[in-house]
Amino acid sequence: SQKIEQNSEALNIQEGKTATLTCNYTNYSPAYLQWYRQDPGRGPVFLLLIRENEKEKRKERLKVTFDTTLKQSLFHITASQPADSATYLCASNFNKFYFGSGTKLNVKP
Amino acid sequence: ETGVTQSPTHLIKTRGQQVTLRCSSQSGHNTVSWYQQALGQGPQFIFQYYREEENGRGNFPPRFSGLQFPNYSSELNVNALELDDSALYLCASSQVPQGTSGANVLTFGAGSRLTVL
């Protein structure tokens, strides 16, 4: 089955810097990868989707890349703000959704 | 447009009991899926309901069962609760079933936090 791996260690960065989160997948290359944001005690919220044939996707301060050779997606938040502090989940959608364990981002003022 | 609502938000049960969790899907969505999220982990797929029938299941035992109603709302039932069932249970709705389109995205509720003592 598909496995999605994310760095379980929290990422601590200073406000204004760019945060980069990594998502690696095993086995087959998913046609799509999705990124969700989850705040404590809340359900995940969809942020961005990137297709296998798209190398990069942007939405405001967010950017996602998809490298099928490395079997990896990178999620970037530019000009990060304390309000960006949350857990970010990567997911692939084949017959069902496979989620990574998420990476917690802490943006310090 | 209403989002996904779940009830109850928190509940405590003892081992061996049964629990029912409820979910109202987002307007316009006909598919509901349920996820179990243990602390520090990502959501794990339990099952999906489409047109009132189970349409896909993850690696969960039969004591996890569900229903979908004509208005697309759904229930998750867990029998013979075990300590390891303690988790956040998330309901998500979508416009089409998983597997239909990779571009399908999920709209989640806030979850029901279940504690089994």
Side-chain angles (χ1 to χ4, degrees):
Chain A
S1 63
Q2 182 68 289
K3 194 170 182 181
I4 302 293
E5 297 172 339
Q6 295 182 257
N7 190 350
S8 59
E9 287 186 19
L11 177 63
N12 299 303
I13 64 168
Q14 205 66 34
E15 182 177 7
K17 300 293 186 183
T18 296
T20 299
L21 286 68
T22 304
C23 171
N24 296 295
Y25 58 88
T26 60
N27 299 331
Y28 55 84
S29 180
Y32 299 83
L33 278 172
Q34 302 185 11
W35 285 87
Y36 289 77
R37 168 183 171 144
Q38 187 172 24
D39 291 284
R42 310 291 296 174
V45 174
F46 171 74
L47 295 174
L48 274 173
L49 174 154
I50 185 166
R51 293 174 172 77
E52 187 179 26
N53 60 359
E54 294 176 322
K55 290 194 174 179
E56 182 179 297
K57 195 83 168 278
R58 291 176 184 263
K59 178 183 176 183
E60 298 173 350
R61 295 184 295 111
L62 309 180
K63 184 178 84 172
V64 175
T65 63
F66 195 166
D67 189 326
T68 56
T69 302
L70 295 178
K71 293 191 174 183
Q72 183 179 83
S73 174
L74 297 179
F75 178 81
H76 306 271
I77 305 177
T78 58
S80 59
Q81 304 165 0
D84 296 326
S85 298
T87 296
Y88 292 86
L89 298 163
C90 174
S92 73
N93 177 15
F94 188 57
N95 287 323
K96 62 181 183 180
F97 273 84
Y98 295 90
F99 283 87
S101 58
T103 299
K104 186 174 182 181
L105 173 66
N106 296 312
V107 181
K108 300 180 179 179
Chain B
E1 175 178 281
T2 57
V4 175
T5 57
Q6 293 187 242
S7 63
T9 54
H10 296 84
L11 68 167
I12 300 174
K13 293 284 187 178
T14 56
R15 200 168 43 179
Q17 285 189 312
Q18 178 264 344
V19 68
T20 297
L21 307 178
R22 295 178 175 81
C23 170
S24 295
S25 61
Q26 178 166 307
S27 175
H29 288 185
N30 59 20
T31 303
V32 174
S33 51
W34 286 90
Y35 293 81
Q36 180 194 66
Q37 187 175 26
L39 208 58
Q41 301 297 314
Q44 297 294 313
F45 175 67
I46 302 175
F47 44 56
Q48 169 180 267
Y49 276 82
Y50 173 64
R51 292 187 175 179
E52 302 178 49
E53 292 191 359
E54 187 179 296
N55 178 23
R57 189 178 185 95
N59 295 326
F60 282 82
R63 59 190 186 84
F64 285 79
S65 63
L67 286 172
Q68 186 183 32
F69 301 99
N71 65 354
Y72 306 125
S73 65
S74 177
E75 285 183 357
L76 165 65
N77 298 290
V78 186
N79 294 321
L81 284 167
E82 301 176 0
L83 298 179
D84 286 347
D85 294 334
S86 295
L88 181 67
Y89 287 86
L90 295 163
C91 171
S93 69
S94 55
Q95 289 183 323
V96 295
Q98 296 175 37
T100 304
S101 167
N104 193 25
V105 302
L106 300 175
T107 301
F108 284 90
S112 294
R113 171 72 65 187
L114 171 65
T115 302
V116 182
L117 302 176

